[in-house]
Amino acid sequence: MDAAADGGGALRPVVLDAMGGDHGPAVTVPGALAAHREHGVPVVLAGRADEVEHELRRHGGAGEVEVLHADEVVPMAERGAGAAARRKSSLMIGCEAARRRGGSFVSAGSTGAVVTCAVRAFARREGVLRPALAVALPTVTGSTVLVDAGGTSDPTPEMLAQFALLGTAYARNVLGVRDPSVGLLSIGAEPGKGNRLARGAARLLPDLPVRLHGNVEGHDVLAGTVDVVVTDGFTGNVVLKNIEGCVRSTLDMVARAGIAPPARLAEVARLYTADTHGGAALLGLTGTVVVAHGSSGPTAIARACAVAAELGEADEPLPVVGRASVGPVA
Amino acid sequence: MDAAADGGGALRPVVLDAMGGDHGPAVTVPGALAAHREHGVPVVLAGRADEVEHELRRHGGAGEVEVLHADEVVPMAERGAGAAARRKSSLMIGCEAARRRGGSFVSAGSTGAVVTCAVRAFARREGVLRPALAVALPTVTGSTVLVDAGGTSDPTPEMLAQFALLGTAYARNVLGVRDPSVGLLSIGAEPGKGNRLARGAARLLPDLPVRLHGNVEGHDVLAGTVDVVVTDGFTGNVVLKNIEGCVRSTLDMVARAGIAPPARLAEVARLYTADTHGGAALLGLTGTVVVAHGSSGPTAIARACAVAAELGEADEPLPVVGRASVGPVA
């Protein structure tokens, strides 16, 4: 076992749900080993010990990372309360171990299940009304943080405005943007445009300590217009999946036109896949939780563990939003 | 003047807002002439007579289409009530002429302004709770109708469910799909997934006379999973603009990778531009209204006029939704 992996070392552990994702331990175990070997992340694998240890041996990693036994598996189709009711699942046991050890948690399970279990296991940071999922999307010029990408489907305007604070801190701490600009996703540039929710948030945002650009529209998300795009979890999740589908369809049309070699197009596609953007971070809790894509391969799992370690090890803590909203963001 | 253009012929007129769009008469006039010459559409140009007639002469079309003088122009930035207050604008005068003559109306003005003026000039069809914008998007296998793409930002679940009826009739009458399948845009396949609005609509949809597929997600929009994607006007408008931006960004990345000739990539881009998809149709009113993209060129304007003529000339009228909801869709 790695000296750091038991939580006694200098680095805090990253607990990985070994049973999550479309492929379970066959993918999570090599992913955990890659995170440990290539990124130096002290990973703990939560899941069925026999299956996990079998995969560890298959990859020449027996005893290399800690294994935390958990009897149950939350099926990919199960979300919300049903998932949280399985107290002995790799998800709940993993989340709770991460909280106890002051570490981070990573799962490629269904977003709804991971969010529900994480909210049960961890507490919300002081002042945070609702957690939000943040995803860093590749743009032509760098990255844009989309928040909320599916954490809270029906936020109030106050919750939506807070997501700007969470996203700003994420862009600063994870992407290294010194003074991130923030755009509110809407359907017109003027502050009065949008649905009731967006208009309500637009009235609150100017009072928050963020660098407010104003409203942005659907075409701005990948254009790099702002560093942080703020929206509700419903719209954000639709947009995130729409981007995935749209990139695929566009490349498909290029391939059908026979104007570019498929192998080179696959490189472009990879920019937008789980293997590179490293998963969504659930912001606003007392612990760091990263949700990787269900179809993640070992590389994506390793990246998600590295992101979780970075988030957990950030020099400055994420701001407590209730306090941050009356003072500068940390 | 064309015999049909005064409304006395067999074809009902298509009134075109000559002042709308980013380029005004310089683009709408050649667009109107193309619609008339290539598609046989009896166009009426509403706008400043001197400017319009100047452009007609420039394109060798003096006296070829009717001109309806309108003093005022609604600026692209002006939307909603402000636009409707300009009673002598090409938008209001054009809408009213189209209604009086039982014809259709086309504008490349701002969507908000066109929707507001159209709702004032035309009545809602019996039983229709709110109008919705429909856009036919190119998919890998054909077309998908996205409805609502920006007509009603905050619909009730009842309004949202009705959009399925409007979209079904549009897919049948305009795209020629015999029995269109309908998907409700949400953030999970199960009917219980989504925000409050989507969950509410999901409960109503099974009772409507549409071929219901169930929920679809963001990646399904361009995948051709269903013929009609139903969503609220806020999410729909964000998705529509997100697709435009995403296609552009993806092709940009392909171009930067140097793996395809830019001219050939431009052909793929054109599939998704206003020049081909012919504008958004405002459904649910007693007249047909088509909103073309502000950046439309003459070809897009001509296509929008042809779509408006097709919608207006459809063999079967669009269903009165209140009645249709208790019987089969026409």
Side-chain angles (χ1 to χ4, degrees), chain A residues 110-138:
Chain A
S110 97
T111 305
V114 179
V115 169
T116 308
C117 293
V119 168
R120 300 254 172 131
F122 296 93
R124 279 187 219 151
R125 280 162 199 260
E126 199 187 321
V128 169
L129 299 169
R130 279 289 189 293
L133 274 175
V135 178
L137 297 166

Side-chain angles (χ1 to χ4, degrees), chain B residues 38-109:
Chain B
E38 291 158 32
H39 305 281
V41 178
V43 184
V44 177
L45 283 159
R48 286 185 185 143
D50 52 344
E51 291 181 38
V52 172
E53 271 150 12
H54 169 77
E55 286 296 330
L56 279 170
R57 282 191 299 276
R58 250 176 34 91
H59 291 88
E64 192 179 324
V65 298
E66 186 184 343
V67 177
L68 190 67
H69 179 66
D71 258 341
E72 278 187 290
V73 176
V74 175
M76 279 303 276
E78 192 164 287
R79 314 194 188 191
R86 297 180 188 263
R87 308 286 311 167
K88 296 192 166 177
S89 70
S90 55
L91 245 178
M92 277 309 293
I93 285 186
C95 275
E96 278 161 4
R99 187 209 56 212
R100 268 198 321 276
R101 299 182 184 199
S104 307
F105 180 71
V106 174
S107 177

Side-chain angles (χ1 to χ4, degrees), chain A:
Chain A
M1 195 204 293
D2 188 293
D6 62 0
L11 293 175
R12 285 169 298 179
V14 170
V15 180
L16 172 63
D17 171 14
M19 313 311 285
D22 299 341
H23 312 289
V27 155
T28 55
V29 170
L33 289 171
H36 181 237
R37 290 168 186 172
E38 291 157 31
H39 304 282
V41 178
V43 184
V44 178
L45 282 159
R48 286 186 184 143
D50 52 344
E51 292 180 38
V52 172
E53 271 152 10
H54 169 77
E55 286 295 331
L56 279 170
R57 281 193 300 275
R58 248 175 37 90
H59 291 88
E64 191 177 325
V65 299
E66 185 184 346
V67 177
L68 191 66
H69 179 67
D71 259 339
E72 276 187 292
V73 176
V74 174
M76 278 303 275
E78 192 163 287
R79 313 193 188 191
R86 298 178 187 262
R87 307 287 311 168
K88 295 193 166 176
S89 70
S90 55
L91 245 178
M92 276 310 294
I93 285 186
C95 275
E96 278 161 4
R99 187 209 57 211
R100 269 198 319 276
R101 299 182 183 197
S104 308
F105 180 70
V106 174
S107 176
S110 97
T111 305
V114 179
V115 169
T116 308
C117 293
V119 168
R120 300 254 172 131
F122 296 93
R124 279 187 219 151
R125 280 162 199 260
E126 199 187 321
V128 169
L129 299 169
R130 279 289 189 293
L133 274 175
V135 178
L137 297 166
T139 66
V140 174
T141 52
S143 293
T144 290
V145 178
L146 178 70
V147 58
D148 177 14
T152 301
S153 291
D154 281 301
T156 61
E158 289 73 21
M159 294 171 192
L160 189 52
Q162 268 200 344
F163 297 165
L165 292 168
L166 294 170
T168 292
Y170 181 89
R172 198 170 282 160
N173 294 335
V174 179
L175 304 180
V177 183
R178 211 179 50 81
D179 189 19
S181 57
V182 173
L184 176 68
L185 190 58
S186 193
I187 57 173
E190 310 84 351
K193 291 294 143 197
N195 56 10
R196 272 191 299 270
L197 175 59
R199 293 197 310 270
R203 280 191 294 270
L204 299 169
L205 282 167
D207 294 332
L208 297 185
V210 296
R211 182 152 74 87
L212 188 63
H213 167 94
N215 285 1
V216 291
E217 300 189 67
H219 49 83
D220 292 306
V221 179
L222 290 188
T225 310
V226 290
D227 298 305
V228 179
V229 171
V230 172
T231 190
D232 63 274
F234 182 84
T235 309
N237 192 266
V238 166
V239 163
L240 181 64
K241 289 175 179 160
N242 188 54
I243 289 171
E244 289 173 7
C246 192
V247 169
R248 213 156 45 220
S249 299
T250 308
L251 293 175
D252 199 21
M253 290 207 184
V254 172
R256 276 163 188 245
I259 56 180
R264 300 295 305 278
L265 288 174
E267 287 169 33
V268 176
R270 218 165 292 134
L271 274 173
Y272 289 95
T273 63
D275 268 25
T276 51
H277 61 73
L282 188 62
L283 308 179
L285 302 179
T286 51
T288 297
V289 176
V290 173
V291 189
H293 202 286
S295 65
S296 293
T299 314
I301 294 292
R303 269 290 297 146
C305 291
V307 165
E310 273 176 69
L311 276 164
E313 303 296 329
D315 286 327
E316 297 169 38
L318 288 176
V320 174
V321 175
R323 251 185 261 153
S325 69
V326 292
V329 175

Side-chain angles (χ1 to χ4, degrees), chain B residues 23-24 38 74-75 88 137 171 184 196 228 235 270 276 308 312 315 321 325:
Chain B
H23 313 290
E38 291 158 32
V74 175
K88 296 192 166 177
L137 297 166
L184 175 68
R196 271 190 300 270
V228 179
T235 309
R270 217 164 292 134
T276 53
D315 287 327
V321 175
S325 68

Side-chain angles (χ1 to χ4, degrees), chain B residues 86-202:
Chain B
R86 297 180 188 263
R87 308 286 311 167
K88 296 192 166 177
S89 70
S90 55
L91 245 178
M92 277 309 293
I93 285 186
C95 275
E96 278 161 4
R99 187 209 56 212
R100 268 198 321 276
R101 299 182 184 199
S104 307
F105 180 71
V106 174
S107 177
S110 96
T111 306
V114 179
V115 169
T116 307
C117 292
V119 168
R120 300 256 171 129
F122 295 94
R124 280 187 217 152
R125 280 163 198 260
E126 198 187 322
V128 169
L129 299 169
R130 278 291 188 293
L133 274 176
V135 178
L137 297 166
T139 65
V140 174
T141 52
S143 292
T144 289
V145 178
L146 178 70
V147 58
D148 178 13
T152 302
S153 291
D154 281 302
T156 62
E158 289 73 21
M159 293 170 193
L160 188 52
Q162 269 200 345
F163 296 166
L165 293 168
L166 295 170
T168 292
Y170 181 88
R172 198 170 281 160
N173 295 335
V174 179
L175 303 180
V177 183
R178 211 178 50 80
D179 189 19
S181 57
V182 173
L184 175 68
L185 190 58
S186 192
I187 57 172
E190 310 85 350
K193 291 294 143 198
N195 56 9
R196 271 190 300 270
L197 176 60
R199 293 198 310 272

